[in-house]
Each structure stands twice: as C-alpha cells, then as structure tokens.
Amino acid sequence: MMKQNRTIGAAPADMDDIQFASLPSLPVEFYLNNTVDVARALIGKVITYNAPEGFMAGRIVETEAYLSDDPACHASRGITKRNAAMFGNPGRAYVYLIYGIYYCLNAVTSPPGIGEAVLIRALEPLAGIDMMITNRGENRLTNLCSGPGKLCKAFGLNNSHNGLDLTTSVLRIVDDGYKAGDISAVSRIGISQAVENPWRFYLSNSDFVSKK
DNA sequence: ACATCGATCTACT
DNA sequence: GTAGATCGATGTA
C-alpha cells in the first residue's frame, strides 16, 4: 500500500497536526504509578495517531481502571492469547475485540508480569475529524468518540494495534499542557462482577463523555 | 463439543 | 426499552 505524502502535491498539514505531532509522549514511568491514579491522571491528555489515511488526535475525557485482582479485569484469571499485552511492558496498548464487533483501547500499566490497564472510554475530537466522521458514519462531534467502541472505530484501531508502544509508535499519548478541571469518580460501566469501585473517571463538564 | 456471557453499540418497537 | 450482531474465553459434558 502506498504511503500518502502529505507535503508534496497537496495542501500542507494542518497546524494542529504539526503542534500535536511534536508534543512529548508521556514517559514509561507515568504508567508505573498506581493504576487508579494513572486512570485519573490520563484525563486531559491527548491521543495522537498517524493513521494510514492521515493524522488524528483526541483529548481523553473518560477512563476506567482495571486492576489485576479485580474479577472484572480480563487479566484476573491469568494470561491468555487475547490479554497477553496486559502482562507486558507498561506504556503499551492493549486492544481487544468485545462482543465480536467492537474494539476497546487500553493503556497498559504496572511492571511486566502484572496484568493491569486503563480503558480509554471517550475522547474529545481534536484533529483529523473529517476522517473520524468517515470511519464512523456519524457527524455529531459529541457522538463521535463517546464510548470505547466508538473511539476505536473513529480512529480505525483493531487487533493490529495491540501491543504498540504508546511512547514511540504511530499511536501515542502526549501531554499538551492542558489542565483538566473537575474530575468525577464514579462506578464503572457494564460491570456485572464483584463489588464495584469508583474507578471510572471523567471530565465533569465535558460534552464528549459516554454517559453523565 | 456445545452453551453462555462479555470493559458495546445500533436499530428497532 | 430491548434484541441482535458475532469473536474469544470460560464452564459444563
């Protein structure tokens, strides 16, 4: 497949692209803190993706923490082919198929051997919005990336992105200096097992979350 | 081998 | 409000 060159014979890249693309990745150490703290700290950070079709970016407005001893965590019953990335290096992506149809993106936390991660549940679209609209078949901005399955479809993420290094690869999480306002901590969504904990975090005043 | 359910979303009634 | 899409993991036989 031909890689598209965005600087020759076409309009120059957006200023947004240049800005976001040059931002520093969150370091591996960021992902080595307590997983619940990482989930909270990821609110306001930016996901950037150099997709085959162009550059996309979105601000994280909703996350959930999954700990290794939590029955709702895929890793709680040991390593499998699907969840192996969770047991690998921190700062990597764990992408899995859910309900046979949708993909979910996680950021792996904790040292190798411990299966913990943060589910990225919703983004505020920032760049490459036209491509997200095409991928989703949906043009309302507040409904574009407002759910874990939705944002993966908007970005075009799938099994091939499982295990990517979020600090160096085409898929990164960066800090643009944005200061998150009030963050809500509530029960997670779609959990049927165990006693639930307030491990879902979202930007309180955001219009881009999956659910208030 | 077969049945059940899941960190979801859409399209219906 | 709820049925259906449909893969991977798990539990029962």
Side-chain angles (χ1 to χ4, degrees):
Chain A
M1 187 171 66
M2 289 272 276
K3 190 173 191 314
Q4 189 180 351
N5 189 320
R6 292 164 59 78
T7 61
I8 297 176
D14 294 345
M15 278 307 293
D16 278 355
D17 296 25
I18 297 165
Q19 270 181 13
F20 290 122
S22 61
L23 290 168
S25 302
L26 296 177
V28 170
E29 300 81 60
F30 178 94
Y31 301 95
L32 285 169
N33 292 300
N34 175 283
T35 298
V36 175
D37 292 338
V38 174
R40 190 187 295 105
L42 278 172
I43 300 294
K45 299 298 187 287
V46 173
I47 294 188
T48 68
Y49 177 40
N50 281 296
E53 60 266 47
F55 182 85
M56 304 182 211
R59 188 177 311 284
I60 299 170
V61 296
E62 181 178 339
T63 62
E64 281 178 1
Y66 285 87
L67 275 58
S68 57
D69 60 353
D70 166 19
C73 177
H74 289 169
S76 66
R77 285 173 300 283
I79 193 166
T80 66
K81 191 173 184 181
R82 177 177 70 161
N83 70 18
M86 280 182 102
F87 292 87
N89 293 318
R92 304 293 181 101
Y94 167 44
V95 182
Y96 71 91
L97 182 65
I98 184 70
Y99 297 109
I101 312 180
Y102 298 105
Y103 291 95
C104 291
L105 169 66
N106 297 251
V108 175
T109 62
S110 67
I114 301 177
E116 305 201 348
V118 173
L119 172 67
I120 310 299
R121 284 195 56 89
L123 303 175
E124 173 183 349
L126 296 176
I129 293 173
D130 51 345
M131 291 173 269
M132 296 184 198
I133 290 172
T134 301
N135 287 344
R136 283 267 292 120
E138 162 68 61
N139 59 13
R140 289 168 299 176
L141 254 53
T142 53
N143 197 30
L144 208 49
C145 300
S146 55
K150 293 179 187 178
L151 72 90
C152 282
K153 191 169 183 197
F155 275 59
L157 301 179
N158 55 54
N159 281 341
S160 72
H161 302 88
N162 190 33
L164 285 183
D165 189 334
L166 297 171
T167 69
T168 59
S169 75
V170 292
L171 184 66
R172 297 191 302 136
I173 302 182
V174 305
D175 187 347
D176 70 342
Y178 175 88
K179 301 294 179 203
D182 189 59
I183 295 172
S184 300
V186 299
S187 294
R188 293 174 297 181
I189 290 179
I191 307 296
S192 56
Q193 313 187 51
V195 178
E196 204 14 18
N197 297 287
W199 290 342
R200 170 177 175 244
F201 299 96
Y202 67 90
L203 201 54
S204 303
N205 64 358
S206 176
D207 293 326
F208 301 94
V209 299
S210 65
K211 244 178 126 184
K212 288 274 185 184

